[in-house]
Amino acid sequence: MSIIRVHDKEFEPYLTAEEINARIRIIAAQINADYAGKKPLFIAILNGAFMFASDLFKEITIDAEICFIKLASYKGTKSSGHVITAIGLDMDIIGREVIIVEDIVDTGKTLNEFLPQLQHQQPASMSIAALLHKPEATVYPLKIDYLGFTIPNKFVVGYGLDYDGLGRNIRELYRLCEQGN
Ligand code: IMP
């Protein structure tokens, strides 16, 4: 792995595909154990989580379902500011064991706004699986039940994550070079 260029910026190798997959197998084993005898519903958040969700779900050996949603932010009333809404949630989640699958928790804003909405639909339980977490950037604290990697507050690309639309197809994770910060 060597330095790559995405748009105008340079990125250096950060996590190999093997490191990512080894970690995913550990998370999946935890989920398989925690949800044994249950039939969890994985709700993966597009676009960023598609690769993580795919690799994670392949390691799930218990009965489980998966669906994919997109979160859209629109301008609500003056008091509510921007409101996040789910597009494409066509599953009934009442009484379900829900596992949210997210690529990265950065500020935590997205999930902090969205999770209460899901909670209104009365799932039996709700947990979060995130591949990456940047604790230094998180201003809306969140309990991440299944976490891949804690990473420094640096922009990363690859493995589903993009920089302005590009880089999602890269198998590994790269991070912004120092001089690019
Ligand atoms: P949050 O609401 O600030 O936690 O933002 C989460 C979303 O921002 C993620 O689902 C990503 O789509 C995007 N994001 C945050 N940090 C990065 C990064 O380093 N690279 C690519 N996308 C990121």
Side-chain angles (χ1 to χ4, degrees):
M1 287 166 77
S2 50
I3 301 247
I4 58 163
R5 175 170 280 269
V6 182
H7 289 300
D8 56 330
K9 298 206 187 312
E10 293 196 323
F11 292 82
E12 61 191 6
Y14 186 45
L15 294 172
T16 65
E18 290 71 27
E19 285 168 328
I20 296 169
N21 280 312
R23 185 69 195 134
I24 287 176
R25 281 196 288 276
I26 292 170
I27 295 175
Q30 285 168 0
I31 294 176
N32 285 329
D34 292 351
Y35 288 85
K38 299 172 179 171
K39 196 174 68 180
L41 169 64
F42 289 71
I43 300 181
I45 301 179
L46 294 172
N47 291 323
F50 77 95
M51 214 176 270
F52 173 45
S54 167
D55 286 344
L56 178 67
F57 204 60
K58 278 183 273 187
E59 299 293 334
I60 298 300
T61 51
I62 55 171
D63 279 354
E65 291 179 79
I66 189 165
C67 69
F68 294 82
I69 62 165
K70 229 174 162 159
L71 296 183
S73 173
Y74 65 91
K75 199 147 168 44
T77 61
K78 228 182 201 165
S79 59
S80 62
H82 280 273
V83 182
I84 288 181
T85 179
I87 299 171
L89 184 57
D90 51 6
M91 306 280 292
D92 195 353
I93 68 164
I94 296 178
R96 297 296 305 265
E97 317 277 351
V98 168
I99 302 171
I100 304 291
V101 184
E102 177 66 303
D103 53 355
I104 182 167
V105 175
D106 186 27
T107 65
K109 190 175 194 308
T110 313
L111 288 185
N112 249 288
E113 288 185 13
F114 177 58
L115 294 188
Q117 292 183 35
L118 270 193
Q119 204 71 59
H120 272 132
Q121 299 183 37
Q122 298 177 322
S125 69
M126 205 157 62
S127 63
I128 299 174
L131 180 69
L132 305 167
H133 181 213
K134 292 180 186 169
E136 293 157 20
T138 304
V139 282
Y140 303 85
L142 214 57
K143 181 174 169 281
I144 304 172
D145 303 273
Y146 305 99
L147 175 63
F149 302 92
T150 297
I151 64 169
N153 191 10
K154 268 196 172 187
F155 194 81
V156 290
V157 77
Y159 200 72
L161 289 98
D162 74 310
Y163 165 46
D164 201 11
L166 294 184
R168 294 194 197 276
N169 51 323
I170 300 167
R171 288 168 178 270
E172 305 86 12
L173 261 176
Y174 285 76
R175 66 175 176 194
L176 194 59
C177 288
E178 281 301 341
Q179 64 268 29
N181 269 325

